[in-house]
Amino acid sequence: MATERSPGFKLFFAGLIGLVLAIPLMMVFALSWDRQEQANTAQTSIAAGWGGPQVVVGPVLVIPYTTDNVETVTENGQQTTRTVRVQRELFLSPEKNAMKTDLRPERKKKSIYESVLFVAENSGSARFALPADFARYGIPRDSLNLAGAELRFGISDARGLQADSKVQVNGTALELQPGKGLAASGNSGFFTFIDWDGATPLNVSYSYAFRGNKSLTMVPRGKETSWEVKSTWPSPSFAGDFLPTKRTISDKGFSSTHKVTNLALGQSLVLKEDLGMPQLEGGYVAPMVASSASAQPVGGPSQAATIGLIEPVDLYSQVDRSVKYGFLFIGFTFLAFLMFDVVGGAKVAAAEYLLTGAGLVLFFVMLLAFAEVIGFTWAYLLAGGAITGLLTAYSAAVLKSWLRARVIGGLLVGLYATLYVLLNLEAYALIIGSVLLFIALAVVMWATRHIDWGAKRGAEEASASGA
């Protein structure tokens, strides 16, 4: 009788084949990353000409003023100090700015890819007045050119601005001009000229709409800023320096309210330098708009509040996470085959391990391919069902028993069901996974407690017959 290899060698060989299958698993992971990059490119193409992630700021009253600037120059080898009269800009934030935004999401598709865009309708009111202690800022009031003041609104991607933007000052509608936004919006936006005496307050009401995608960021400026947002989008993401003081989220949409004071901002109402763009997180980055509209120096970055329109389920991240569990699928299935081989007497060849592992890897390719078309859940059911049926039928031939094949099929159903639970319960994935591994190890240890891993079955049978 031919001598068979020892159970220990079979275990080693099955593990070696499992390690070889790590190569196609890594290739599936790379394929998922490549498809995600293609999706990002397609989404960027969809949003082209519509409007990017938007940053809005303002209104802010910009007042020119003159001041003396001392310069030291060298003439004929001699240093000379002289005083030059220069014009600069003063940035006056409102005492109060109350803004409301109606955020209407829209889905646009290109081939199998989809992008979430939005149209935002902004409306609000603001009140401006020179502070009573204006003299403390070191700028003589008579140096202000109030007749040349400008009321500026910043929007980072002005391509998205829609028609019918309106601004009224003390009840009078004013003509709007393009450009001259604020540094926080990349000097992009629109403005209107203001002829102000500085003695009476300015009451401003405004309304404008714009298009964008992915996120909307509001930069608060003023003594008191309130921002109310409502939308039909059911899965918002709140980020930035200020979170909502109140929020309501349901399947029908969300509403939120931000309230920010200048004490929280750490900003004065009067600034000699404009504030720069906010440092946004979470991938919501406003485009930097090159502009020479303002030669004013820019101070530090602005603080901001961001609302992102995120997809409820990111199928590529779901596929990526599922691929990371591919080794568990291969390991558990190979272990079941090994137990039938070592304990049950069924002979499983190396090629049969390899073909079974190829089927398990194919599940993740099918999951990625179908998820892009029919969604992750249906793709998971389709791919899981197809591979379970295929490997169950193949196991019946390999293990020479439909009863054993049904055990393999039940194992695969359990694995796919467990993986789906792990993907949806991310916070408890490690706990559930570790408990399942403990149970599996305990079962294997119990089932193999009498096996001599170094003995050869053929030698055992020969010695038994000789006795």
Side-chain angles (χ1 to χ4, degrees):
M1 177 180 290
T3 301
E4 289 191 4
R5 294 184 174 90
S6 67
F9 184 85
K10 291 179 179 180
L11 175 62
F12 169 78
F13 202 70
L16 184 62
I17 295 176
L19 289 177
V20 171
L21 289 171
I23 298 175
L25 267 181
M26 293 300 100
M27 294 177 66
V28 174
F29 193 85
L31 176 63
S32 176
W33 182 85
D34 180 68
R35 297 295 294 182
Q36 186 169 17
E37 288 298 306
Q38 290 187 34
N40 291 337
T41 301
Q43 289 171 353
T44 302
S45 175
I46 294 172
W50 178 272
Q54 294 285 18
V55 176
V56 295
V57 54
V60 172
L61 194 61
V62 182
I63 306 171
Y65 70 97
T66 55
T67 185
D68 294 332
N69 187 36
V70 179
E71 296 180 348
T72 301
V73 297
T74 302
E75 296 179 353
N76 300 324
Q78 299 290 327
Q79 287 190 341
T80 304
T81 301
R82 63 186 181 186
T83 301
V84 180
R85 197 76 170 165
V86 296
Q87 180 170 286
R88 293 182 177 170
E89 291 180 340
L90 182 74
F91 297 87
L92 179 64
S93 298
E95 291 184 334
K96 183 176 182 179
N97 182 27
M99 183 169 69
K100 295 182 178 181
T101 301
D102 184 6
L103 200 59
R104 301 199 311 270
E106 296 185 14
R107 292 181 180 270
K108 299 290 184 180
K109 295 194 68 174
K110 182 177 182 180
S111 183
I112 63 173
Y113 302 108
E114 186 177 65
S115 183
V116 180
L117 312 176
F118 66 79
V119 175
E121 293 184 354
N122 273 9
S123 62
S125 61
R127 183 178 186 274
F128 292 87
L130 287 176
D133 60 348
F134 184 77
R136 293 178 179 270
Y137 295 96
I139 302 175
R141 184 160 177 167
D142 57 7
S143 69
L144 299 177
N145 180 16
L146 294 171
E150 298 171 353
L151 188 65
R152 298 184 185 178
F153 295 79
I155 177 169
S156 59
D157 193 346
R159 297 175 306 162
L161 278 170
Q162 303 295 283
D164 202 29
S165 298
K166 298 177 181 178
V167 173
Q168 290 186 343
V169 176
N170 292 335
T172 302
L174 300 180
E175 183 179 358
L176 302 181
Q177 307 292 332
K180 281 191 177 180
L182 296 157
S185 62
N187 291 322
S188 174
F190 60 93
F191 74 101
T192 184
F193 295 107
I194 300 290
D195 189 0
W196 186 35
D197 59 12
T200 57
L202 283 179
N203 293 303
V204 178
S205 61
Y206 56 88
S207 63
Y208 60 96
F210 55 88
R211 300 182 302 191
N213 77 87
K214 292 186 178 179
S215 70
L216 174 60
T217 297
M218 185 272 297
V219 177
R221 296 281 290 268
K223 188 174 183 180
E224 181 182 334
T225 301
S226 66
W227 184 34
E228 297 181 12
V229 183
K230 65 176 182 178
S231 175
T232 57
W233 188 252
S235 54
S237 170
F238 300 100
D241 301 290
F242 303 100
L243 296 178
T245 54
K246 183 171 61 176
R247 71 180 79 174
T248 302
I249 303 174
S250 68
D251 294 339
K252 297 181 179 180
F254 77 92
S255 62
S256 63
T257 301
H258 290 77
K259 290 186 180 295
V260 184
T261 66
N262 66 333
L263 296 179
L265 286 171
Q267 297 174 10
S268 169
L269 293 183
V270 179
L271 296 175
K272 296 180 182 179
E273 295 180 352
D274 201 2
L275 297 175
M277 298 188 72
Q279 296 177 348
L280 305 178
E281 298 178 356
Y284 305 128
V285 181
M288 181 68 74
V289 181
S291 175
S292 58
S294 175
Q296 291 291 330
V298 177
S302 297
Q303 299 181 74
T306 298
I307 298 177
L309 303 184
I310 61 174
E311 290 284 0
V313 177
D314 184 351
L315 67 91
Y316 293 105
S317 65
Q318 294 281 74
V319 172
D320 287 347
R321 289 182 58 213
S322 66
V323 172
K324 294 176 183 177
Y325 290 96
F327 292 106
L328 292 181
F329 279 73
I330 295 172
F332 276 107
T333 307
F334 279 18
L335 192 58
F337 273 24
L338 184 65
M339 290 299 98
F340 283 124
D341 188 340
V342 174
V343 179
K347 296 180 180 179
V348 183
E352 292 165 340
Y353 277 112
L354 192 61
L355 288 173
T356 301
L360 294 172
V361 173
L362 181 59
F363 161 76
F364 300 103
V365 179
M366 295 177 64
L367 176 62
L368 174 62
F370 286 104
E372 292 183 326
V373 180
I374 62 176
F376 182 82
T377 300
W378 286 108
Y380 193 93
L381 293 173
L382 177 61
I387 297 301
T388 299
L390 174 65
L391 294 186
T392 300
Y394 184 63
S395 299
V398 172
L399 302 176
K400 307 298 188 294
S401 169
W402 273 103
L403 178 61
R404 294 171 176 174
R406 283 196 288 270
V407 173
I408 297 296
L411 173 65
L412 290 174
V413 170
L415 286 174
Y416 286 127
T418 302
L419 176 59
Y420 191 80
V421 172
L422 292 177
L423 293 176
N424 288 276
L425 297 176
E426 185 174 358
Y428 301 99
L430 182 59
I431 295 177
I432 297 174
S434 61
V435 170
L436 289 177
L437 287 174
F438 175 81
I439 295 173
L441 179 60
V443 171
V444 172
M445 292 174 70
W446 181 85
T448 61
R449 66 192 184 281
H450 298 306
I451 293 178
D452 184 357
W453 291 98
K456 299 180 175 62
R457 185 184 302 161
E460 291 177 347
E461 293 174 353
S463 60
S465 62

